[in-house]
Amino acid sequence: MPGHFEPLPGGGAAVALDEVEISIIRSLAVQLLELIGPGPGGDVSDDPLAELFAEGPSEPPADPVLRRLFPDAYSGPDVEAASPEQAEEQRAYSAEFRRFTENDLRAGKRENALVVIRSLDSVAATGEGGAVLKLTPEESKQWLSSLNDLRLAIGSRLDVVDEEDTDLLYRLPDEDPRKPMVMAYLWLGGLQETLVETLMT
C-alpha cells in the first residue's frame, strides 16, 4: 500500500502516507483553495436562494492556472480555424456558459479540496510517523477530482501542455529550481493513477 491506493472491502480506497506526504498534499490543497477563492459574496450567504441564482463571471480568469482549471467551453483548434464572425460567436457562447456554470464549478472544487484537507487532518491526528488514510467511495471520487486539479495547477506553472512536455520533466537536472515542483507533479500523478485503478476494480 505505501505510495499507492488500494481498494477497501465494500468500496472506497486506502493509502499509506507518511508525515511529509500528508504535509505536502495538505499544503497544496490549501493553496488550491486560496487560488480558487471564496464563493460569490463569501462562503456563507444570508440568502441561499440569491446565491443559487448568482451569476458568475463571463470572462476567463487572468491567472493561467485558473484558466486551466476553468477553461472556455468552446475552444481549441476548431475555434482557432474559424472565421472572425464564427470565433466571435464561439466567444459569446463561452462567456454565456461560463456565466452560469463557473460559480458551481468553483464551489465543487472548493468542496473537493476541503474533503482532502479534512481527511488528512483526521489521519494526522491519529499518531506520529504517518498513517493509513481510508476513504469512502464518495470521498475517493472527491480526492480523485482534487488530485486532478492539483496536477492541472502545477502542470500549468510548469508549462505542461502535452505528453511530450511531461517526458521532458524526467530529464530536468537536479539543480533546476523547478525540480521540487516536478517531483510533486509526478508523485501526484502516480497517486491519481492508482486511485483511478482502484475505483475501476
Side-chain angles (χ1 to χ4, degrees), residues 74-140:
Y74 301 91
S75 61
D78 292 342
V79 174
E80 293 168 12
S83 69
E85 294 80 11
Q86 291 171 321
E88 183 58 37
E89 185 179 27
Q90 298 293 357
R91 281 192 288 272
Y93 288 152
S94 287
E96 189 75 355
F97 186 82
R98 182 180 296 279
R99 193 158 60 94
F100 291 108
T101 60
E102 187 168 310
N103 284 345
D104 285 344
L105 289 173
R106 283 180 182 262
K109 290 180 186 299
R110 274 195 301 274
E111 183 56 33
N112 292 337
L114 283 170
V115 166
V116 170
I117 292 167
R118 289 173 185 145
S119 56
L120 290 173
D121 286 348
S122 68
V123 296
T126 60
E128 297 180 2
V132 175
L133 174 69
K134 295 181 179 180
L135 304 173
T136 66
E138 182 59 29
E139 288 171 337
S140 298

Side-chain angles (χ1 to χ4, degrees), residues 168-180:
L168 292 174
L169 297 180
Y170 287 98
R171 297 195 287 274
L172 280 181
D174 290 341
E175 59 272 15
D176 192 299
R178 296 170 296 169
K179 192 72 171 186

